[in-house]
Amino acid sequence: MSKEALFNVLNNHFSFEGLKILDLFAGTGNISFEFASRGSDNITSVDADFGCVKFIKQIAEEYDFNIAAMRSDVFKFLEKNTNSYDIIFADPPYALDQKTFENIVTLVFQQELLREDGMMVIEHSKYTKLDHMIHFSFKKSYGGSIFSFFEISGNADEEVKVDLEATEED
């Protein structure tokens, strides 16, 4: 359900053909395969697990998808990568702490990995809050999962959104 909803949102913003996609914490490649089946032909999938990367490579070859599966620590990849992407999707383990999720956003924008008209999506639990981060645009909730969307045109002029209710004195 949530994957279908995600692609409905993305479909309102993009035509998938010709897009350059980065899938972080790719796991078994479900999101990469979905992009490929919708016409994206330049996809990079990154995961630290050898078995997952091997599986993605096998399926990509079987279906003739142009997916480059890379075994790497996602944070090291983000620090060293010099490519830019139209869509960056990250599905880190929900158990990672708040600062680690925030670090994904920070690295992507510090390294200028997102193209001007691009979008980054981070899947996370309702306990992780990312709407205060720079370039945050909007979020969508699906059950216990939340997709936070980031764009260059997000709150780029603001370092941090201030929660007025949290700062008011009683």
Side-chain angles (χ1 to χ4, degrees):
M1 168 72 178
S2 61
K3 180 176 76 169
E4 182 180 335
L6 167 67
F7 278 89
N8 286 339
V9 171
L10 292 174
N11 199 43
N12 286 326
H13 292 272
F14 298 98
S15 171
F16 295 115
E17 289 185 19
L19 292 182
K20 192 170 181 181
I21 309 294
L22 177 60
D23 184 5
L24 300 171
F25 304 95
T28 57
N30 191 19
I31 294 295
S32 294
F33 299 139
E34 189 67 32
F35 276 113
S37 73
R38 291 171 184 253
S40 297
D41 62 357
N42 189 343
I43 302 164
T44 302
S45 301
V46 181
D47 200 276
D49 184 86
F50 174 78
C52 288
V53 171
K54 182 179 176 185
F55 179 78
I56 293 169
K57 286 179 179 180
Q58 288 173 340
I59 298 300
E61 185 176 325
E62 184 177 329
Y63 288 94
D64 198 30
F65 290 152
N66 187 20
I67 299 174
M70 304 176 69
R71 183 175 176 260
S72 176
D73 173 85
V74 166
F75 298 97
K76 289 179 183 173
F77 176 86
L78 291 175
E79 288 170 359
K80 294 179 181 183
N81 186 42
T82 57
N83 293 310
S84 62
Y85 302 89
D86 297 296
I87 298 175
I88 299 173
F89 179 81
D91 183 12
Y94 283 15
L96 294 179
D97 65 22
Q98 177 76 30
K99 290 283 185 203
T100 305
F101 275 88
E102 292 173 358
N103 195 31
I104 296 166
V105 177
T106 301
L107 282 169
V108 164
F109 288 104
Q110 276 181 350
Q111 299 298 107
E112 299 179 353
L113 302 179
L114 190 64
R115 292 183 175 168
E116 187 68 32
D117 294 326
M119 184 175 283
M120 177 171 66
V121 183
I122 300 180
E123 184 175 351
H124 57 89
S125 78
K126 62 184 178 182
Y127 302 108
T128 300
K129 307 295 183 206
L130 298 175
D131 53 352
H132 65 284
M133 297 295 297
I134 192 166
H135 299 294
F136 175 82
S137 185
F138 62 97
K139 67 182 175 184
K140 297 280 187 178
S141 300
Y142 303 98
S145 296
I146 297 187
F147 293 111
S148 288
F149 295 80
F150 297 83
E151 300 173 87
I152 299 290
S153 61
N155 65 349
D157 296 331
E158 304 175 39
E159 279 300 312
V160 177
K161 284 186 177 179
V162 177
D163 183 351
L164 296 176
E165 291 179 18
T167 59
E168 290 179 6
E169 302 215 11
D170 293 320

